[in-house]
Amino acid sequence: QKEVEQDPGPLSVPEGAIVSLNCTYSNSAFQYFMWYRQYSRKGPELLMYTYSSGNKEDGRFTAQVDKSSKYISLFIRDSQPSDSATYLCAMSATGYSSASKIIFGSGTRLSIRP
Amino acid sequence: DSGVTQTPKHLITATGQRVTLRCSPRSGDLSVYWYQQSLDQGLQFLIQYYNGEERAKGNILERFSAQQFPDLHSELNLSSLELGDSALYFCASSVSPGPGNTIYFGEGSWLTVV
């Protein structure tokens, strides 16, 4: 079993819909949770990060962490075609720039239909 | 544009051959990371350098080696290539390995081994 599980999709939704992307994990030591966005033929870019449990909001994006269920989510409100990308969750026990300790999900491919 | 430059963007080579991938980090970044991304394994951390010194090692094969030069650019050497080495190789950089420093990814080098 992988430490981080993520549904690969693809997920296709109409423009304006609310998108929910999720990951589950097995390592209870994870404290730092990240979401990366990767456009086709580009490198991943850090979208949001949270520490421990709770919610964090940034514009149309909300990251949610439920450590009791070992479950994290990324919500995208008012989705736009420009949000079409692969979204990777990532987590670490030691910080979001301790690259050797960051475990990535396999990514969910999201497509927003105009 | 993340500011991390990788060359070449695409590379096709035969099994048994050796290739070198090159990375120039963002201006001012001292830490360089190498990742491998494949469909079945997702994004895997290979190795990290900080100011010329190896800092952390991940799932890097013995056939692979890397170094960071005094001008901070880095090279990843892949030798005795196998079909399974076909993947997208990312370089990333950050100011330092410490917490709070975002990791910025380059656009990757596509390696196809035939």
Side-chain angles (χ1 to χ4, degrees):
Chain A
Q1 185 189 4
K2 291 183 179 178
E3 276 190 286
V4 178
E5 298 277 2
Q6 185 175 10
D7 187 335
L11 181 62
S12 179
V13 302
E15 183 176 355
I18 296 175
V19 176
S20 172
L21 304 169
N22 312 292
C23 287
T24 59
Y25 62 95
S26 57
N27 188 346
S28 57
F30 287 146
Q31 297 273 15
Y32 298 83
F33 303 93
M34 294 146 275
W35 286 95
Y36 283 79
R37 179 174 60 195
Q38 185 175 14
Y39 290 115
S40 180
R41 301 183 186 280
K42 301 288 186 182
E45 58 177 329
L46 182 64
L47 194 58
M48 294 186 71
Y49 62 88
T50 54
Y51 172 74
S52 195
S53 284
N55 293 358
K56 183 173 183 178
E57 191 173 316
D58 184 1
R60 298 183 294 110
F61 298 87
T62 299
Q64 198 171 76
V65 175
D66 182 349
K67 291 187 70 181
S68 61
S69 302
K70 296 191 179 68
Y71 189 88
I72 71 169
S73 302
L74 178 70
F75 297 97
I76 307 175
R77 291 185 301 280
D78 187 24
S79 56
Q80 305 293 310
S82 59
D83 295 327
S84 298
T86 296
Y87 290 79
L88 299 94
C89 65
M91 42 201 84
S92 166
T94 57
Y96 56 86
S97 63
S98 300
S100 62
K101 309 295 185 186
I102 298 176
I103 309 298
F104 285 86
S106 55
T108 299
R109 193 151 51 95
L110 173 66
S111 175
I112 308 298
R113 305 189 303 270
Chain B
D1 184 2
S2 67
V4 179
T5 304
Q6 289 188 247
T7 57
K9 291 194 184 306
H10 298 91
L11 192 56
I12 300 174
T13 190
T15 54
Q17 296 298 305
R18 172 190 169 95
V19 299
T20 297
L21 309 180
R22 182 188 166 100
C23 169
S24 294
R26 292 189 329 146
S27 177
D29 285 359
L30 300 179
S31 202
V32 168
Y33 314 80
W34 286 98
Y35 287 85
Q36 179 193 59
Q37 187 175 42
S38 60
L39 282 174
D40 56 343
Q41 294 291 324
L43 195 61
Q44 300 282 320
F45 168 74
L46 296 178
I47 197 164
Q48 175 192 358
Y49 283 84
Y50 176 67
N51 205 19
E53 299 289 327
E54 184 183 302
R55 187 66 178 248
K57 225 169 189 176
N59 301 320
I60 187 166
L61 299 172
E62 285 191 11
R63 300 183 286 110
F64 297 179
S65 64
Q67 54 184 326
Q68 186 180 27
F69 295 88
D71 66 353
L72 301 178
H73 91 271
S74 179
E75 293 181 355
L76 178 67
N77 300 296
L78 314 174
S79 62
S80 303
L81 285 167
E82 302 175 358
L83 295 178
D85 297 328
S86 296
L88 186 53
Y89 291 84
F90 286 108
C91 173
S93 72
S94 66
V95 171
S96 76
N101 293 296
T102 300
I103 296 170
Y104 295 89
F105 284 80
E107 295 194 353
S109 293
W110 279 98
L111 173 66
T112 302
V113 182
V114 297

